[in-house]
Amino acid sequence: MAYTLREKALPRHHARHPSLPYQITFAVVALGLLGLALFCTFTYWAMLRVDANAAAREKTLISRAIDERIDTVRREQQKVTVGDDVFYLTMLGDTAWMTENIGAWMYSSYGHEQGYVLDDRNTVIYAMRQGETVSPARFDEVSGRILPLVRRVRQLASEDAAAGNLGLGDVMTIDGRPSIVTVKPIVPGVDPETSVPGDAFLHVAVKHVDNAFFASLGERYLVANVRFRPRETMLDGQNAVPIAGRSAWHLGYVAWDRERPGLQLIQEAAPGLATALLVVATLVALLLQRIRRAAAQVHESENRAHHLAYHDALTGLPNRSLLRSHLERSLNTWSDADPVLALHYIDLDRFKNVNDTLGHPAGDELIRAVARRLCAIVGENDMVARLGGDEFAIVQVRVTGRADVERLADAVMRSMTQPFDLLGNQVFVGASAGIAIASETASERADLSRKADIALYEAKGAGKGQYCVFYPELDDAVHEKQAIERDLRVALTDDRGLHLVYQPIYALDKQTILGAEALVRWDHPVRGLLSPALFVPVAEERGLIQQLGSWVLREACETVKTLDLPWVAVNVSAIQFRDPTFTRQVLDLLHELDLDPTRLQLEITEGLLLDLTDEVREALAALRLAGIKIALDDFGTGYSSLQYLHRCVVDKIKIDRSFVQRLRHSREGDAIVRAILDLAHGLDLTVTAEGVETVEQHKALTEFGCSELQGFLLSKPLEVRTLQAKIIISQPANRYVPSSEPAQYREIA
């Protein structure tokens, strides 16, 4: 059955499911439990994260404390390794001096348990343990651990004396106890780098690390019960930092009692959280009762909301969403053996005029009337949908061939040509239609819609009140436009291929060049020279005309500034004129180039006058006030030329070549041109005759009093150099003399 204004396109839902309140209750309770579970999970996760962050902070503090302790021992060692006395007396091997000033002093001042002085061959010349001087042979007990560090210091000193003087420190096991061992070169105090770094005497300091040291770390960094634990006594899960030297030798662990701020926070907040959860549960129970009462109302409105989501509010017809899903289902179940399926796109021809003249209520009534007529025409299995605005669609199914599709299209066209009674007014609109047939052009919804849209565009371009059935060549035309658009964008970006030629406009003597019209040409890298009739419409359709027009305007103004040419005329699209910034762009360009506005003429078409808004009229007035002349191109080809001429102030009209071609062929042709000239003279307008190709036409135009001539009889469009040559050999009166008066565009705001 056809989708009419009163019928629903989707099945109704049942009025109310009896178990819906219980379903809502179950859903709310389930969501509440889920929320509680998520809350508990998040709280537990947050607790673990806080505790983990605290543990990481403690580990960082302990590790940093050990590193700082090594640096401290090195700074303490600095006291006995830098100075002239220590340098020269150790070089002399003064054991008594080293006993008093190195061994005993480092033990008593800083608690270094062991100290050794090594000569340039790593031979021990002094040894100290627990503040007492001992035999150098005692170094053999620890040399296996210390000598690798000694060699690294000498290597570092050989590579960089300044860096080697800093020495190195490490942790290792000395006498079965974890110890800090540092090695520093003994250098003079005046200029430490004067010594030979690799041969320097070295001082080795050993300081055991005991639990008292670790306890002091805990007090300093507020970490509880810091202690050393051997590897064998360490248990999994304890909070600890391993102690390992540069040789990766694992000495043991620094352990401490772990702080648990996250757990403490949860324990303290638990009573408050429990109370809050109880309050929330009570509120949810109260709200649940209200929700259950509202459930019936919500469910009753569901059908209406669902209907509005898939239907047009004004007509009740299926909307674009429902059309898309219906077409998708129809195509999914359609096969080559089935009857033809066709998609019709319909667009009203003069809907905007109805809205503008009779108002929007009349426009709404027109849309409803069109919907009723379409529903009355289609078959019972077809769908009529409104896509929006004045656009409709028909999905035609179960037809046996192309003839049935065209029969429906003819019926739609006839129906739309019949008058509509709108609020006491009789209105004629008409329609255009594009049709895509699934069995011939497409089997997917998107492709079928695209091709119906292409056919509609073709029908509207061919004139009012027509329909077009898609054929493959239309797709080729679309691809051709896409290719031209793509290449034109590249040409405009790279500024290659596009150039201007100039067709001179002559006085009646056929010698004096009064000006020239700038004409754009495109030397395509593959297609060769393209006519503007091919790419300018594409530029207008695909949104490139403003960019192309700006390029043409700048190019023409820059060229005329270099020529002895009174003025240059540039064609301007109606789309450019409707841009509110167009006037400002033109005046800014003239100001930038310091070009007299009287040397620029802008040519507009009658299409701009058909929709003469206040903004366009103000733009024309501002340009003329600045000194730019406005010419009406192709005059006489539009049905409204005389009607709108008096409403728009222009300086010139250009007689279309179709009228010039009729001169001397019939009295009617001569009469039309004479009438146009008489009208122009009466309105004090300059007239240019286009397309002058024969001597007879020139004589007639001279006789009728036409002041400007343009055409192949006089000159074809010329390159800049050729035009300049023609200007030079033309009459001297043609030479352009700049005005001494200031350009008016400077005063235009």
Side-chain angles (χ1 to χ4, degrees):
M1 177 177 293
Y3 294 95
T4 66
L5 295 174
R6 297 178 300 276
E7 294 169 336
K8 306 295 183 182
L10 293 178
R12 287 181 175 272
H13 295 280
H14 295 293
R16 181 182 176 188
H17 199 285
S19 62
L20 181 60
Y22 302 99
Q23 293 176 359
I24 294 177
T25 302
F26 174 79
V28 171
V29 173
L31 288 175
L33 294 176
L34 177 61
L36 179 62
L38 291 174
F39 174 77
C40 294
T41 301
F42 174 77
T43 302
Y44 180 71
W45 175 83
M47 178 194 72
L48 295 179
R49 291 293 299 170
V50 171
D51 290 347
N53 291 337
R57 179 182 61 83
E58 292 169 349
K59 289 182 179 180
T60 301
L61 290 175
I62 296 299
S63 300
R64 186 181 300 166
I66 295 174
D67 293 338
E68 290 178 353
R69 187 55 181 163
I70 294 175
D71 291 339
T72 300
V73 173
R74 289 169 56 195
R75 288 194 298 271
E76 294 169 353
Q77 195 180 18
Q78 184 88 0
K79 306 290 186 180
V80 297
T81 59
V82 179
D84 293 339
D85 292 344
V86 66
F87 177 73
Y88 291 110
L89 291 174
T90 54
M91 292 282 288
L92 295 174
D94 190 338
T95 304
W97 187 90
M98 288 187 286
T99 298
E100 180 179 354
N101 294 281
I102 296 180
W105 191 79
M106 292 296 287
Y107 177 76
S108 61
S109 299
Y110 301 113
H112 291 195
E113 285 85 355
Q114 298 181 31
Y116 305 94
V117 177
L118 283 66
D119 65 8
D120 56 349
R121 297 183 179 181
N122 292 339
T123 301
V124 179
I125 62 173
Y126 173 76
M128 179 274 293
R129 289 200 173 193
Q130 302 299 323
E132 299 292 334
T133 301
V134 297
S135 171
R138 296 291 300 274
F139 180 71
D140 295 340
E141 300 173 5
V142 295
S143 61
R145 298 286 176 84
I146 296 177
L147 283 179
L149 185 62
V150 170
R151 285 190 287 270
R152 284 198 294 272
V153 171
R154 291 196 182 281
Q155 180 182 0
L156 182 61
S158 298
E159 296 172 353
D160 186 350
N165 289 341
L166 299 177
L168 293 175
D170 200 0
V171 291
M172 56 185 70
T173 302
I174 302 295
D175 296 336
R177 301 170 63 184
S179 305
I180 295 174
V181 179
T182 60
V183 179
K184 282 183 61 64
I186 299 175
V187 295
V190 177
D191 187 3
E193 296 186 9
T194 59
S195 63
V196 180
D199 297 336
F201 279 34
L202 302 178
H203 179 262
V204 179
V206 178
K207 185 170 185 178
H208 298 311
V209 180
D210 53 16
N211 281 330
F213 164 73
F214 292 115
S216 67
L217 293 184
E219 293 176 359
R220 180 178 178 183
Y221 294 105
L222 302 180
V223 180
N225 195 20
V226 181
R227 58 200 181 276
F228 176 77
R229 299 294 298 270
R231 289 180 298 168
E232 297 79 6
T233 62
M234 196 64 196
L235 301 177
D236 292 339
Q238 288 185 316
N239 212 38
V241 173
I243 301 178
R246 293 177 180 269
S247 61
W249 181 259
H250 196 177
L251 307 181
Y253 295 89
V254 178
W256 63 92
D257 292 342
R258 183 178 179 182
E259 185 180 1
R260 300 292 301 275
L263 179 61
Q264 295 174 3
L265 178 62
I266 294 299
Q267 291 173 345
E268 293 177 3
L273 291 175
T275 302
L277 289 175
L278 181 61
V279 172
V280 170
T282 303
L283 293 176
V284 169
L286 295 175
L287 291 175
L288 184 60
Q289 186 176 4
R290 296 177 62 88
I291 292 174
R292 292 180 60 184
R293 286 198 300 265
Q297 299 176 1
V298 172
H299 193 70
E300 288 174 359
S301 64
E302 183 180 3
N303 283 338
R304 184 169 58 88
H306 194 271
H307 177 80
L308 292 176
Y310 288 96
H311 289 78
D312 174 53
L314 181 61
T315 63
L317 291 176
N319 60 13
R320 188 183 295 272
S321 297
L322 183 54
L323 172 70
R324 185 183 299 115
S325 60
H326 173 76
L327 191 58
E328 197 83 53
R329 289 194 303 269
S330 299
L331 290 172
N332 287 339
T333 58
W334 176 82
S335 66
D336 292 340
D338 293 330
V340 173
L341 182 147
L343 175 63
H344 301 242
Y345 276 172
I346 303 166
D347 187 89
L348 301 184
D349 286 337
R350 287 177 288 275
F351 176 71
K352 184 177 183 300
N353 292 341
V354 174
N355 268 342
D356 292 344
T357 57
L358 300 180
H360 289 285
D364 292 345
E365 180 57 32
L366 174 61
I367 293 298
R368 285 190 287 265
V370 170
R372 286 191 292 268
R373 289 192 184 182
L374 293 177
C375 289
I377 293 172
V378 300
E380 62 179 10
N381 296 306
D382 300 334
M383 170 186 276
V384 178
R386 184 189 179 205
L387 305 181
D390 60 341
E391 299 177 0
F392 294 84
I394 297 175
V395 179
Q396 186 182 8
V397 298
R398 297 185 183 180
V399 292
T400 57
R402 186 184 182 94
D404 285 347
V405 174
E406 294 180 344
R407 190 178 300 112
L408 176 60
D410 287 330
V412 170
M413 295 297 104
R414 288 194 302 271
S415 176
M416 294 300 105
T417 58
Q418 299 300 313
F420 291 87
D421 291 327
L422 304 178
L423 306 179
N425 298 280
Q426 193 174 62
V427 174
F428 294 85
V429 287
S432 302
I435 306 167
I437 302 175
S439 62
E440 296 180 353
T441 62
S443 59
E444 295 184 357
R445 177 195 58 79
D447 196 28
L448 193 68
S449 298
R450 181 183 66 85
K451 292 180 177 179
D453 196 52
I454 292 173
L456 175 60
Y457 186 84
E458 181 71 12
K460 295 177 68 175
K464 308 292 185 180
Q466 299 189 44
Y467 69 86
C468 173
V469 181
F470 181 86
Y471 52 92
E473 288 75 12
L474 287 180
D475 224 353
D476 295 338
V478 171
H479 292 156
E480 174 75 5
K481 288 182 179 180
Q482 291 174 345
I484 291 176
E485 175 193 2
R486 181 182 61 252
D487 294 345
L488 184 57
R489 288 186 186 276
V490 173
L492 287 170
T493 301
D494 297 344
D495 196 17
R496 292 185 299 178
L498 292 171
H499 67 281
L500 297 183
V501 295
Y502 299 86
Q503 186 171 29
I505 298 176
Y506 285 84
L508 292 179
D509 59 9
K510 297 193 296 184
Q511 298 296 326
T512 303
I513 298 178
L514 302 176
E517 179 181 1
L519 303 171
V520 65
R521 296 291 186 265
W522 184 12
D523 190 5
H524 193 279
V526 177
R527 304 167 186 258
L529 192 61
L530 297 183
S531 168
L534 181 62
F535 63 86
V536 170
V538 175
E540 291 182 335
E541 179 183 335
R542 303 302 173 95
L544 293 175
I545 191 62
Q546 289 177 313
Q547 186 178 355
L548 177 61
S550 296
W551 181 88
V552 171
L553 185 62
R554 174 175 287 276
E555 189 76 10
C557 289
E558 290 178 348
T559 300
V560 76
K561 186 175 177 60
T562 64
L563 299 177
D564 293 326
L565 186 67
W567 47 263
V568 65
V570 178
N571 290 280
V572 180
S573 168
I575 297 175
Q576 292 177 263
F577 248 105
R578 294 190 182 101
D579 182 354
T581 66
F582 175 70
T583 302
R584 186 72 269 164
Q585 293 174 15
V586 174
L587 298 180
D588 288 346
L589 176 61
L590 296 177
H591 187 274
E592 175 189 343
L593 300 177
D594 194 23
L595 182 65
D596 191 335
T598 60
R599 301 188 68 187
L600 174 63
Q601 294 186 8
L602 300 180
E603 296 188 3
I604 63 175
T605 62
E606 295 182 18
L608 181 66
L609 305 184
L610 294 177
D611 189 18
L612 188 60
T613 62
D614 292 338
E615 291 77 9
V616 172
R617 187 181 291 106
E618 291 173 0
L620 291 170
L623 291 170
R624 293 187 72 251
L625 181 61
I628 300 170
K629 293 188 181 300
I630 305 298
L632 184 58
D633 197 14
D634 299 334
F635 181 79
T637 57
Y639 69 90
S640 58
S641 299
L642 299 180
Q643 176 184 355
Y644 285 96
L645 188 59
H646 71 281
R647 296 175 54 187
C648 177
V649 179
V650 296
D651 302 283
K652 177 191 292 189
I653 60 176
K654 300 186 71 175
I655 304 176
D656 186 69
R657 66 178 62 249
S658 62
F659 297 111
V660 175
Q661 299 303 313
R662 300 175 192 171
L663 285 173
R664 298 313 189 205
H665 288 284
S666 65
R667 289 189 304 172
E668 291 80 3
D670 290 1
I672 291 175
V673 173
R674 189 189 297 272
I676 293 175
L677 288 166
D678 290 342
L679 173 65
H681 294 156
L683 296 175
D684 197 21
L685 301 177
T686 304
V687 180
T688 301
E690 298 181 294
V692 181
E693 298 179 357
T694 67
V695 175
E696 290 76 12
Q697 294 168 0
H698 172 260
K699 290 180 179 180
L701 291 168
T702 302
E703 177 187 339
F704 297 160
C706 184
S707 54
E708 296 181 358
L709 305 177
Q710 179 182 5
F712 283 6
L713 175 66
L714 307 167
S715 175
K716 294 182 179 181
L718 305 173
E719 300 291 340
V720 175
R721 291 182 179 179
T722 308
L723 176 62
Q724 176 67 1
K726 277 187 172 290
I727 294 173
I728 292 175
I729 64 175
S730 65
Q731 296 180 1
N734 178 63
R735 295 299 182 91
Y736 169 70
V737 179
S739 173
S740 60
E741 297 181 0
Q744 291 183 348
Y745 67 81
R746 302 179 190 274
E747 303 174 1
I748 302 299

